[in-house]
């Protein structure tokens, strides 16, 4: 017989689909965490680079770990009642663990690897462990238990990497990240118990959509913070003023491109989908790409603010142009998830961003940023012109 207390932990019709204040408070930790990711990336592009596991690859690993914590916590509060004391404990503990990860992140591949891993493992193991205990004798306990098993498996290379050094740490942590993401993608399979992919979960579409929207705002806010801190410490030269203005304009353009119009109607798309869980799961990865693109863009424009004139380091093009390109790739896929089609403006903009790399490599960083911002403006303006005189497009997810 199912424990009635387990039913109380699941979301019901009386549970508000909106994000709770505690969830918004939880997000504050990730504002700080993303600034640490950006700071590390800026350092990656301005110091000597390694050969086996590049500094950028290391930072990507750490970003993937942060995203795993945020996304699984978000899925948990979308499936379970976030007003329940047990869930509030999980969210609060996840916030503290995320802060531990964030403060350790800049030196995670040096002297603070163990503290970073302890924060990650504690939240990834602790979350399903708490749910396994509180959902005892309830069918939902099996899902929590299978996640717990895979979290324990991935904890081995995470911890092993933390107590080693140099290239071994990067290899072991790469293995751990692959385990985490592959297990989630396959539904945390267990012998004799099958799989339980998130695409099959009963989730609150409006809640998940709102949480994705909020994280995009967090990433854009981090872009404003990074550019603001960078400019405030600059010499306030004319070129740096221009770079700062271009950075702000690009931030607004990324916001506009995301929210018009797929980002606005994601909740309706999930509710109208034949497989809402599958659509929400797919959106997890597209938002990861967009967040990665925004973080890379913030780093690229921070480099431009600091060094607007002179020679452009070819490696900087990976973030000045590559960041917006990655965002457009994610946004293009996101548009298909919501509307079942892709705007030509997105594809043309992506092609232009890639094609202009050999053309702008000799320009100063400010010129490269201006060219990139112009392409983003072209995408946004094309969208606005196409929408004039037409009724708002309704979602038609292919999933």
């Amino acid at each position: 017989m199912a424990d009635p207390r387990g039913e109380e932990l699941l979301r019901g019709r009386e549970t508000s689909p909106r994000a709770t204040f505690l969830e918004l408070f939880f997000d504050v930790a990730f504002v700080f965490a993303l600034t640490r990711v950006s700071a590390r990336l800026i350092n990656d592009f301005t110091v000597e680079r390694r050969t086996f596991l590049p500094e950028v690859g290391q930072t990507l690993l750490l970003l993937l770990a942060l995203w795993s914590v945020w996304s699984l916590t978000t899925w948990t509060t979308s499936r379970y009642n976030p007003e329940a004391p047990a869930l509030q404990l999980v969210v609060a503990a996840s916030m503290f663990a995320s802060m531990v990860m964030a403060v350790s992140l800049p030196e995670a591949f040096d002297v603070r690897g163990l503290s970073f891993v302890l924060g990650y493992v504690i939240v990834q193991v602790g979350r399903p462990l708490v749910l396994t205990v509180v959902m005892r004798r309830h069918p939902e306990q099996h899902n929590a238990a299978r996640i717990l098993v895979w979290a324990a498996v991935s904890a081995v290379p995470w911890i092993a990497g933390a107590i080693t050094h140099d290239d071994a740490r990067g290899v072991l942590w790469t293995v751990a990240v692959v385990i985490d993401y592959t297990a989630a993608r396959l539904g945390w399979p267990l012998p004799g118990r099958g799989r339980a992919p998130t695409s099959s979960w009963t989730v609150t579409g409006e809640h998940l959509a709102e949480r994705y929207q909020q994280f995009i705002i967090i990433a854009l806010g981090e872009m404003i913070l990074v550019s603001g801190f960078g400019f405030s410490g600059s010499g306030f030269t004319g070129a740096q003023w221009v770079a700062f203005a271009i950075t702000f304009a690009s931030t607004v353009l990324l916001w506009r491109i995301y929210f018009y119009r797929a980002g606005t109607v994601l909740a309706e798309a999930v509710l109208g989908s034949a497989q809402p869980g599958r659509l929400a799961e797919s959106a997890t990865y597209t938002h990861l790409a967009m967040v990665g693109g925004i973080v890379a863009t913030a780093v690229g424009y921070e480099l431009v603010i600091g060094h607007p004139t002179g020679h452009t380091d070819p490696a900087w093009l990976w973030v000045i142009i590559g960041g917006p390109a990655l965002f457009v790739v994610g946004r293009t896929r996101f548009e298909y998830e919501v509307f079942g089609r892709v705007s030509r403006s997105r594809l043309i903009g992506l092609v232009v961003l890639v094609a202009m790399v050999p053309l702008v490599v000799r320009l100063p960083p400010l010129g490269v940023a201006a060219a990139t911002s112009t392409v983003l403006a072209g995408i946004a303006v094309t969208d606005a012109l196409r929408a004039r005189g037409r009724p708002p497009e309704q979602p038609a997810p292919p999933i």
Side-chain angles (χ1 to χ4, degrees):
M1 182 177 178
D3 191 330
R5 289 174 296 182
E7 292 294 337
E8 296 175 359
L9 288 175
L10 293 175
R11 272 186 176 269
R13 293 181 178 179
E14 69 283 357
T15 306
S16 172
R18 304 298 302 275
T20 63
F21 291 119
L22 181 58
E23 290 175 275
L24 298 179
F25 188 43
F26 168 69
D27 288 347
V28 173
F30 285 85
V31 176
F32 175 69
L34 289 182
T35 64
R36 298 302 83 206
V37 173
S38 294
R40 183 182 169 88
L41 264 178
I42 291 170
N43 187 63
D44 294 344
F45 282 98
T46 54
V47 299
E48 182 180 357
R49 303 173 188 115
R50 301 179 183 179
T51 55
F52 177 71
L53 187 65
E55 296 285 347
V56 174
Q58 294 177 355
T59 305
L60 175 60
L61 278 176
L62 302 176
L63 176 60
L64 289 173
L66 286 171
W67 180 256
S68 181
V69 169
W70 184 87
S71 61
L72 285 177
T73 302
T74 296
W75 274 82
T76 299
T77 55
S78 187
R79 182 165 177 79
Y80 300 93
N81 181 7
E83 298 290 349
L87 263 293
Q88 292 181 337
L89 174 63
V90 167
V91 174
S94 298
M95 181 179 181
F96 178 72
S98 300
M99 285 295 296
V100 172
M101 294 171 63
V103 298
S104 305
L105 190 147
E107 297 182 37
F109 276 86
D110 193 6
V111 296
R112 295 180 180 170
L114 185 58
S115 59
F116 179 87
V117 164
L118 287 178
Y120 181 82
V121 170
I122 286 173
V123 68
Q124 296 293 71
V125 172
R127 184 195 311 106
L129 177 60
V130 170
L131 292 174
T132 299
V133 172
V134 299
M135 298 299 290
R136 61 185 179 277
R137 295 192 299 276
H138 189 280
E140 188 64 29
Q141 183 186 41
H142 297 297
N143 285 339
R146 70 172 66 249
I147 297 174
L148 174 61
V149 170
W150 277 103
V153 169
S154 74
V156 175
W158 274 117
I159 296 174
I163 60 179
T164 59
H165 301 282
D166 302 323
D167 293 339
R169 176 173 296 179
V171 172
L172 287 167
W173 283 4
T174 300
V175 171
V177 166
V178 170
I179 291 174
D180 285 333
Y181 276 80
T182 302
R185 185 65 177 171
L186 297 178
W188 299 279
L190 289 179
R193 293 186 176 271
R195 305 183 303 135
T198 52
S199 59
S200 66
W201 289 15
T202 301
V203 295
T204 307
E206 183 178 346
H207 175 266
L208 267 181
E210 183 180 25
R211 297 297 287 134
Y212 289 140
Q213 293 164 350
Q214 289 164 351
F215 203 90
I216 290 294
I217 293 296
I218 288 172
L220 292 172
E222 182 270 342
M223 186 172 174
I224 291 175
L225 282 175
V226 169
S227 62
F229 283 131
F231 184 58
S232 65
S234 71
F236 273 45
T237 65
Q240 288 173 323
W241 271 103
V242 174
F244 181 61
I246 290 175
T247 301
F248 181 78
S250 297
T251 306
V252 174
L253 288 169
L254 292 176
W255 165 83
R256 167 69 181 183
I257 292 170
Y258 173 79
F259 280 100
Y260 188 84
R261 173 160 158 69
T264 304
V265 298
L266 176 59
E268 291 89 333
V270 174
L271 291 174
S273 173
Q275 297 177 285
R278 184 180 173 189
L279 174 57
E281 180 187 42
S282 181
T284 299
Y285 298 103
T286 54
H287 279 77
L288 171 59
M290 287 186 282
V291 168
I294 294 172
V295 171
T297 303
V299 170
Y301 282 68
E302 160 66 5
L303 294 172
V304 173
I305 291 174
H307 310 277
T309 59
H311 172 70
T312 299
D313 187 334
W316 291 10
L317 300 179
W318 285 101
V319 284
I320 300 175
I321 299 178
L326 178 58
F327 174 84
V328 173
V329 168
R331 181 57 177 77
T332 301
R333 170 62 186 176
F334 181 47
E335 185 174 44
Y336 176 77
E337 291 168 344
V338 173
F339 295 115
R341 53 93 184 147
V342 174
S343 299
R344 284 179 294 179
S345 62
R346 308 275 192 275
L347 297 176
I348 294 173
L350 184 59
V351 170
V352 172
L353 285 172
V354 174
M356 76 181 194
V357 171
L359 302 178
V360 301
V361 68
R362 296 185 180 277
L363 293 179
L366 184 59
V368 178
T372 304
S373 185
T374 300
V375 176
L376 294 177
I379 295 174
V381 170
T382 301
D383 289 344
L385 292 175
R386 188 180 68 245
R388 290 182 62 181
R390 297 182 179 181
E393 184 177 5
Q394 298 303 308
I399 298 176

